[in-house]
Amino acid sequence: MKVFKERPALIIAGVVALVFAVLVGLLATRKSTEGAVAASPIVGHRAPEIAGVSIIDGASVRLSDYTHANKFVLVNFFSTTCVPCVQEHPSIRAFAERHAKAGDAAVLAVLFPPVNKDDAKEFWARQKGSWPLLDDDKAIPDYGVTGIPESFLIGPEGFIRAKITGGIKEKRLEALLAAAKSATFAT
Amino acid sequence: MAKRKSLLFVVGLLVVLVVAIAFGSRSNDKALAPTERATRLAERVKCPTCLGQSVAESRAGASRAIYTELLRRVRAGQSDKEILGYVESRYGKAQLLLPERSGIASAVWILPVVVLFAALFGLGMAFRRWRYPLAMAATDEDRALVAATLNRDEAGQ
């Protein structure tokens, strides 16, 4: 008490510095939410249909075509104006290419509004996107999308297995797919 | 007899008030144009990508997509309950800008009614007091005290 009366400014500055240091420590050591599996009321429910014509090559695409072919599907909500979406693109490309060869999983991208088809086409050509890209407004509320990038892993039985928020790395995607494959899922 | 008449008058007024409130707050959404109804519903849904805005207020892409889906469902003839149920099934209860009707949040619905009835009761009590003067009369002692005070004042002048 006597010290506080003599040097109040120094004590207050010390307390503020201590609180600041604790906050910095907490923020620096907490787990990143990037690529995190997020809770959502639709996880565990039947995946809403996504259908349309791919912006890239005009091919008709339906989500159910993939699941009927007994494939897992990664539905990725994407925009060319979103930095984490652009950053995660190489990981998704590697995942798509590997599983296209294996024939066990596929990727389906949905453009997040505002949609600029020309920008998306140019980005796909430059970044060598090999999977369909749809403009399906209905999919945004149907999947309860709250931001981008957001991805959903759909099982071959047509049910949503996981929701992933933020940009995702290839390793994490593979781990999620492996976990989904090994899990027993009762519909 | 007069007391009974006034009581009937107050009860009649309360009945008129309750009926007027019920009639005024009655949902007339079926009569609205689809875009108006969709906008009303959009006012009850949070924008998922912005802070403190409803889907109706926001120009964000996700909000526009939700609004389009609300409008599509209105045009398909779904009820408000069905449409808001759809939003809740996709985004969760937190996406709706209406307090829950159960648990602690139900106080938001109950408290205004409780306060209204307490205020009406208080007003009734006040009117009653103002109407019937207090049954108090000055005693001889009071009169003597006033007279003594007046005499003292006059003497002072």
Side-chain angles (χ1 to χ4, degrees):
Chain A
M1 206 63 193
K2 195 183 167 193
V3 181
F4 185 77
K5 273 185 181 171
E6 283 171 2
R7 313 189 76 173
L10 189 70
I11 302 288
I12 290 168
V15 169
V16 169
L18 189 68
V19 170
F20 187 71
V22 168
L23 278 177
V24 168
L26 279 175
L27 289 172
T29 55
R30 77 175 190 159
K31 214 176 167 185
S32 164
T33 54
E34 239 190 26
V37 174
S40 165
I42 63 160
V43 172
H45 289 81
R46 184 167 287 284
E49 181 66 289
I50 298 174
V53 173
S54 175
I55 292 165
I56 309 304
D57 57 7
S60 246
V61 182
R62 291 175 77 88
L63 170 68
S64 53
D65 290 344
Y66 294 99
T67 52
H68 289 158
N70 209 30
K71 285 181 180 178
F72 279 87
V73 187
L74 182 77
V75 176
N76 176 239
F77 289 88
F78 158 93
S79 168
T80 54
T81 55
C82 138
V83 174
C85 302
V86 173
Q87 285 172 340
E88 73 172 358
H89 194 84
S91 290
I92 294 180
R93 187 174 62 217
F95 177 86
E97 285 170 359
R98 181 177 305 113
H99 293 284
K101 278 181 195 162
D104 61 344
V107 178
L108 186 61
V110 179
L111 268 178
F112 191 82
V115 169
N116 185 327
K117 291 183 184 178
D118 291 334
D119 270 4
K121 268 186 178 177
E122 193 269 328
F123 179 85
W124 233 238
R126 189 160 33 88
Q127 297 289 333
K128 298 181 179 64
S130 58
W131 56 96
L133 177 60
L134 301 179
D135 170 19
D136 183 357
D137 244 16
K138 193 176 179 312
I140 310 290
D142 274 355
Y143 279 79
V145 176
T146 53
I148 42 171
E150 250 179 44
S151 303
F152 294 81
L153 186 63
I154 318 294
E157 71 295 321
F159 281 68
I160 299 173
R161 299 289 197 90
K163 175 182 178 176
I164 306 132
T165 53
I168 191 158
K169 295 275 189 288
E170 192 187 342
K171 267 189 180 176
R172 181 91 176 107
L173 264 181
E174 292 296 350
L176 278 173
L177 181 64
K181 277 181 175 177
S182 61
T184 46
F185 189 82
T187 57
Chain B
M1 194 68 183
K3 253 187 180 181
R4 200 170 164 186
K5 262 188 178 175
S6 65
L7 186 69
L8 276 175
F9 179 72
V10 171
V11 170
L13 265 183
L14 276 175
V15 169
V16 169
L17 179 73
V18 169
V19 169
I21 289 172
F23 188 78
S25 61
R26 187 174 57 107
S27 171
N28 196 24
D29 286 352
K30 293 278 179 197
L32 294 173
T35 48
E36 286 174 313
R37 215 181 122 208
T39 304
R40 280 203 178 181
L41 286 165
E43 284 167 357
R44 295 162 70 178
V45 180
K46 269 187 214 168
C47 162
T49 56
C50 21
L51 285 174
Q53 278 189 311
S54 69
V55 163
E57 293 162 333
S58 163
R59 308 310 300 167
S63 288
R64 294 299 85 209
I66 293 172
Y67 177 81
T68 305
E69 183 58 17
L70 296 178
L71 183 58
R72 196 190 67 75
R73 284 172 183 268
V74 166
R75 285 188 170 138
Q78 290 192 359
S79 68
D80 288 3
K81 198 178 169 188
E82 284 172 317
I83 297 171
L84 294 174
Y86 160 78
V87 174
E88 192 182 320
S89 72
R90 288 343 198 230
Y91 288 95
K93 272 185 183 171
Q95 198 65 22
L96 300 178
L97 291 166
L98 271 181
E100 285 179 46
R101 287 168 192 233
S102 59
I104 190 81
S106 61
V108 175
W109 298 97
I110 297 164
L111 275 178
V113 179
V114 172
V115 169
L116 176 76
F117 278 101
L120 285 175
F121 180 75
L123 266 178
M125 292 300 284
F127 285 143
R128 201 179 141 85
R129 272 187 68 186
W130 295 336
R131 188 167 172 176
Y132 301 107
L134 290 174
M136 285 176 74
T139 60
D140 289 341
E141 204 177 320
D142 294 333
R143 286 198 183 90
L145 188 67
V146 171
T149 309
L150 288 174
N151 287 340
R152 194 180 61 211
D153 287 350
E154 278 169 15
Q157 280 170 3

